C-alpha cells in the first residue's frame, strides 16, 4: 500500500490549500491575517486551522494573528518546496502531455528531466524542451540520472510494470494517474489522481437526495 | 462553498473504489466474496467496509459474504450510474483534451455534448466527434441543450466566469480542474481536481520524516 504518513492525510491534504490561499494574500499585499479571517476565506473553522498548524509548530501570535509571508514560507518548507525535485513522466498521451506542459510545476521546483512512451509515433517528438524517449530506455535513463518522482500516465494495464521499474531504480515517490492501485514496498510513496473516481463522486452527489428519498419512501 | 453531502465525504470517496474493485472481480468471474477477502484486496478493514455499505442498505449475507454482481450493481446505482449525463467541457487545452478523449467516461454514461474554448486556433477543430466551439456561444448552447455537468478546464483567472455561466444556465454539478475554489450557490455541487495540491501532498510525504527529525533535533 506504500508509505504511511505520520500526520493524518486529512491534515496533509489541507496544507497545499493553506499554501495557495496564503500565496494569494501575499500577491494582494496582505501582511497579516487573523485565524478568523483566514478561516472565512478558506472555509475551514479557525480552530481547525490552529489545530492543523499546531502539528508543525507554533505560528500565530495571540492578538496579532498570522504573519502572511512567514506562514507562507513555513508551510512551503513543510511541503518540501525549499527543495528541487527531478521528475520523469511515463506515458505521453493526453494526461502525460498535460502534466508536462503545466509550467507551474517547474516554478514550484519540480523539474521534468525525461518523458517516455512506447508509441513510435510519439517517440522523438518534443514536449516543451524534452524529446519523448522510448520507454525501453527508461531503466537505463534512471540508472544514469537522479530522479525523485516518477509520474505514471500510461493505461492501467501497463502501470504496475512501470511502477516496478521505478521501484527497482530507487525512486521513492510515484504520482500515479493510471486508474489502478499500485503495489509498492512500504518505503515508497504513491499519490493517486483517479479521475474516474472523482467523476463518480460527482454523480453520487448529484443523485444523493433522490437516493435517500427512495429509501425513505420504501 | 457549494452543496454538502448527507453521507460523509470520506465514505463517498471510497464508493468509486469499491465499484472499481468489484468490477475487476466480476471480470475475473468471481461470484462472491467475504468482507475479509474484499478487505484484503481493497486495503480497508472489513468493519470499515461493512460500516460504509450499511449507510446505503443491507448487502452482505452472514456466512455467505457479498454477491459480487449484485453489490457491483447496487453501488453503481448509489453512484448514479444507472443514469446518463450530458457534459460540456470549457477549455480545450491539454487537460480539456485529455478529459474529452477519455472514452471510459462515455462507457460509464457521461456523454460529451459540447466543447468550448476562446482560442481561435482551437475553435473549429474536432476532438473525437465534437467540434470545438467559441466560448462566446456557451450560454446560448446551454439554453438550447440539456447539460447535467459542466467541466471547467480553463486557467484559474477565467474559471469563476465560466462557473457563473454554468450556474446562470441551471447546471447543478461542476467538475473543476482550475486551481482555484469556485463560489457557487448551495444547491450546486463542485468537485475539484487540483493537480498542484496532489503534487504538493507528494512532496510533503517525501520530506515528512526529515521534517520531524529536524523538529526533534531542535
Amino acid at each position: 500500500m506504500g508509505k504511511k504518513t505520520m500526520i493524518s492525510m486529512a491534515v496533509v491534504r489541507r496544507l497545499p490549500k493553506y499554501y495557495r490561499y496564503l500565496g494569494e494574500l501575499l500577491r494582494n499585499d496582505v501582511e497579516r491575517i487573523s485565524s478568523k479571517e483566514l478561516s472565512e476565506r478558506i472555509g475551514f473553522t479557525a480552530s481547525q486551522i490552529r489545530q492543523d498548524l499546531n502539528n508543525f509548530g507554533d505560528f500565530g501570535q495571540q492578538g496579532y494573528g498570522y504573519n502572511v509571508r512567514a506562514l507562507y514560507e513555513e508551510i512551503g518548507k513543510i511541503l518540501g518546496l525549499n527543495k528541487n525535485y527531478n521528475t520523469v513522466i511515463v506515458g505521453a498521451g493526453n494526461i502525460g502531455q498535460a502534466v508536462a506542459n503545466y509550467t507551474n510545476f517547474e516554478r514550484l521546483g519540480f523539474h521534468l528531466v525525461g518523458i517516455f512512451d512506447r508509441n513510435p509515433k510519439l517517440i522523438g517528438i518534443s514536449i516543451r524542451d524534452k524529446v519523448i524517449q522510448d520507454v525501453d530506455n527508461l531503466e537505463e535513463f534512471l540508472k544514469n540520472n537522479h530522479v525523485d518522482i516518477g509520474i505514471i500516465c500510461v493505461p492501467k494495464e501497463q502501470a504496475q510494470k512501470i511502477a516496478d521499474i521505478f521501484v527497482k531504480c530507487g525512486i521513492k515517490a510515484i504520482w500515479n494517474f493510471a486508474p489502478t492501485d499500485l503495489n509498492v514496498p512500504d518505503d515508497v510513496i504513491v499519490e493517486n489522481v483517479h479521475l474516474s473516481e472523482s467523476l463518480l463522486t460527482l454523480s453520487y452527489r448529484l443523485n444523493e437526495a433522490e437516493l435517500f428519498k427512495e429509501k425513505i419512501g420504501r
Side-chain angles (χ1 to χ4, degrees), chain A residues 37 51 55 64 74-75 80 86 88-90 98 104 132 144 148-149 155-156 162 179 198 202 204:
Chain A
E37 283 171 298
Q51 275 180 39
N55 285 301
Y64 176 88
E74 278 296 328
I75 293 181
N86 285 346
V88 292
I89 294 173
V90 182
N104 196 39
I132 299 173
N144 296 320
D148 303 287
I149 299 174
K156 65 176 174 184
I162 303 302
S198 173
L202 190 62
Y204 169 84

Side-chain angles (χ1 to χ4, degrees), chain A residues 184-195:
Chain A
V184 298
D186 282 346
D187 66 336
V188 175
I189 297 151
V190 176
E191 168 74 12
N192 293 307
V193 179
H194 286 168
L195 294 188

